[in-house]
Amino acid sequence: MTLLKGLFINLLVILVLVLFYNMVVVNQQKRISPRFQKSVLAFFSSILIILSLLLAIAIEENFVYDLRFIPFLLGSLYGGKKVTLWLGALLITARIPIGGDGIWLTALLVICFSLIFFCLSSRFEEKPIKWRLFFTTFPAFLYSILALLIPSFYYGFHTIETFFIYSLVLTAATFFVTYLTELLRTTCTLQQKTIKNGKMEMVSHLAASISHEVRNPLTSIIGFLQLILEQRDVPDKCKINASLALDEASRTAVIIDDYLTFANPHPEKLHALEIDKEILQCRDLISPLALKHSVDMKIVFFHTDKIKGEPHKFRQALLNICKNSIEAMPTGGTLTIVTATKYNETFIHINDTGQGMSPAHLARLGEPYFSLKEQKGTGLGLMVVFRIVEEMGGNIKVNSEEQIGTSITLSFPSFA
């Protein structure tokens, strides 16, 4: 009963700090740089490891048992290799003052499981939730065998009841803490999506209300301005003014077209799209802008399947992304487009070497009227991209770092 009571107190401390971590960091993860997130995760995991050791229960002389493996495991898998190294070193160092033969067992287990976490951490968050639960729960069960059952027979203090208590609590606690963590992360993600979808719905209603009414008179204005420019007897100053007015009217027409994407976002008919042809056509259209900004475009195709979508809107999404990437490189750079097919999904990776974005800007990406172009932007371009990709059944992922560049990955269900 002493062991069970001690382990439950240890679990309570872990749950409190896990909830606090999610309140402080996870709810703000879109506005915090990934490096800072991992630093905070390492800090909280370190605190939990130390607290777990302070709450440890001695089963035999110099052999203490607690739930320190849980923060070590979760911190390593969610934090990555550097966090794994830090937590492993901390775990061994913090165990040294207790002394005894258990220190060598701790060091051996930490090294072995660190190697396992090194292999799992790189793709851990890409796996479905059920796999993440398995990849945390099974190592916890394995650790209980290696840390208690085998040493108990070797040192002669084996008690089956003690092993079952420790193994059951450690395994169940690991599953519960992981599930709670995933639940909180999912809730946060859904909340952010709900807020963004609400904003987009507002824009959709606005677009349906005014776009057609504004577009008709605007078309007439553009037509008359073009007639003025074609007249030979019009003074040069008037032509200059008419040309400027025509440019602004044309820009307004583009903005209205973006609004119309929201007014009628659902494609009437989905077609099989050959990605290479669409990307090459996009390159031909965007090449003058790339040349103007001294941007080198590199395209590599590794995909094997097609995708379904509406050609015009898919091309519009590609053009919007490429245009933003090129404009983020005012002094030149490289725009790279790479395609791939994996696990029945087709990916389009678009990378630039531009100015990049801060975590705060990255969090607002795709929101209505949010733009980094100051007076020159409306914030509709990427919002249109998000809507088009969503309507094609795809996903969009954006990674960016200031002064390094931005990487945008579009993923779509493959269509052979």
Side-chain angles (χ1 to χ4, degrees):
M1 289 302 295
T2 303
L3 175 63
L4 187 62
K5 181 180 178 180
L7 292 177
F8 276 136
I9 293 174
N10 196 167
L11 176 59
L12 179 61
V13 172
I14 291 175
L15 290 175
V16 170
L17 280 184
V18 166
L19 289 171
F20 183 71
Y21 170 79
N22 280 273
M23 289 173 60
V24 173
V25 178
V26 174
N27 287 335
Q28 302 294 326
Q29 61 180 342
K30 292 287 186 178
R31 296 176 172 83
I32 302 175
S33 66
R35 185 178 300 177
F36 184 71
Q37 289 182 42
K38 291 182 179 181
S39 299
V40 176
L41 178 60
F43 173 76
F44 273 89
S45 299
S46 301
I47 295 297
L48 281 175
I49 288 174
I50 294 173
L51 290 176
S52 297
L53 283 169
L54 293 175
L55 296 171
I57 304 299
I59 297 179
E60 292 290 333
E61 185 178 358
N62 294 327
F63 277 87
V64 294
Y65 294 93
D66 46 65
L67 301 181
R68 80 190 90 143
F69 184 73
I70 296 178
F72 171 55
L73 181 148
L74 295 182
S76 299
L77 292 178
Y78 285 103
K81 296 179 180 179
K82 291 184 178 179
V83 177
T84 303
L85 288 175
W86 163 254
L87 294 179
L90 174 68
L91 201 55
I92 295 173
T93 304
R95 178 63 179 80
I96 291 176
I98 299 176
D101 293 335
I103 180 61
W104 305 112
L105 178 63
T106 297
L108 179 62
L109 290 177
V110 167
I111 293 172
C112 292
F113 279 97
S114 293
L115 294 175
I116 295 174
F117 298 154
F118 257 63
C119 299
L120 295 178
S121 61
S122 59
R123 296 186 178 180
F124 179 71
E125 295 196 53
E126 297 177 2
K127 299 293 183 180
I129 292 180
K130 62 180 182 180
W131 281 101
R132 291 202 289 269
L133 289 172
F134 174 78
F135 285 146
T136 54
T137 306
F138 180 73
F141 174 70
L142 181 62
Y143 177 85
S144 69
I145 295 177
L146 298 175
L148 178 58
L149 186 62
I150 295 177
S152 68
F153 284 102
Y154 182 80
Y155 286 98
F157 55 84
H158 53 279
T159 55
I160 299 300
E161 180 183 359
T162 301
F163 166 73
F164 275 119
I165 292 174
Y166 180 69
S167 179
L168 179 63
V169 172
L170 178 61
T171 305
T174 303
F175 176 86
F176 181 72
V177 173
T178 306
Y179 183 77
L180 177 63
T181 301
E182 291 295 332
L183 185 63
L184 292 171
R185 287 159 61 91
T186 303
T187 301
C188 178
T189 302
L190 291 176
Q191 184 180 19
Q192 292 173 349
K193 285 185 177 180
T194 301
I195 294 173
K196 182 170 287 188
N197 289 337
K199 293 179 179 179
M200 288 189 171
E201 193 66 26
M202 174 193 68
V203 176
S204 178
H205 288 304
L206 179 62
S209 301
I210 68 172
S211 292
H212 289 289
E213 299 299 327
V214 175
R215 196 177 190 184
N216 291 333
L218 185 62
T219 302
S220 300
I221 293 172
I222 292 174
F224 283 115
L225 289 172
Q226 289 173 339
L227 287 175
I228 292 174
L229 292 173
E230 292 174 2
Q231 297 297 322
R232 295 182 179 179
D233 56 346
V234 176
D236 291 340
K237 186 175 182 180
C238 290
K239 282 191 174 183
I240 293 174
N241 292 335
S243 178
L244 292 173
L246 181 61
D247 290 341
E248 291 302 307
S250 299
R251 193 169 73 91
T252 305
V254 171
I255 295 172
I256 291 175
D257 286 339
D258 288 340
Y259 270 115
L260 286 173
T261 301
F262 287 89
N264 184 26
H266 300 281
E268 296 179 359
K269 186 177 181 180
L270 294 176
H271 303 273
L273 301 179
E274 296 183 15
I275 301 175
D276 49 351
K277 292 183 178 180
E278 297 295 336
I279 292 178
L280 291 175
Q281 188 170 357
C282 173
R283 180 198 61 185
D284 295 338
L285 293 172
I286 207 73
S287 289
L289 182 64
L291 185 62
K292 179 181 177 182
H293 287 75
S294 301
V295 172
D296 182 29
M297 294 187 67
K298 296 181 180 180
I299 301 176
V300 183
F301 298 124
F302 291 117
H303 68 281
T304 56
D305 296 337
K306 300 177 181 179
I307 62 174
K308 281 188 175 182
E310 191 174 352
H312 171 71
K313 290 186 176 180
F314 178 66
R315 205 174 304 127
Q316 181 185 6
L318 290 178
L319 285 171
N320 285 355
I321 295 175
C322 291
K323 181 174 179 290
N324 285 343
S325 296
I326 291 172
E327 291 176 345
M329 299 181 282
T331 58
T334 303
L335 176 63
T336 306
I337 302 177
V338 180
T339 65
T341 300
K342 188 177 181 181
Y343 302 129
N344 295 321
E345 277 193 302
T346 297
F347 299 88
I348 303 175
H349 305 281
I350 304 174
N351 306 308
D352 67 57
T353 56
Q355 298 170 342
M357 292 175 284
S358 67
H361 291 154
L362 199 61
R364 298 191 60 192
L365 209 61
E367 288 186 5
Y369 313 117
F370 174 73
S371 174
L372 296 175
K373 302 176 186 177
E374 299 179 350
Q375 292 88 354
K376 296 181 180 179
T378 62
L380 294 174
L382 274 181
M383 190 170 61
V384 168
V385 173
F386 275 87
R387 179 57 66 94
I388 291 174
V389 171
E390 178 186 341
E391 294 302 327
M392 291 176 61
N395 291 300
I396 181 168
K397 183 179 180 180
V398 184
N399 293 312
S400 185
E401 193 167 343
E402 290 183 288
Q403 307 307 320
I404 293 180
T406 300
S407 173
I408 298 179
T409 300
L410 307 178
S411 60
F412 302 94
S414 294
F415 175 70

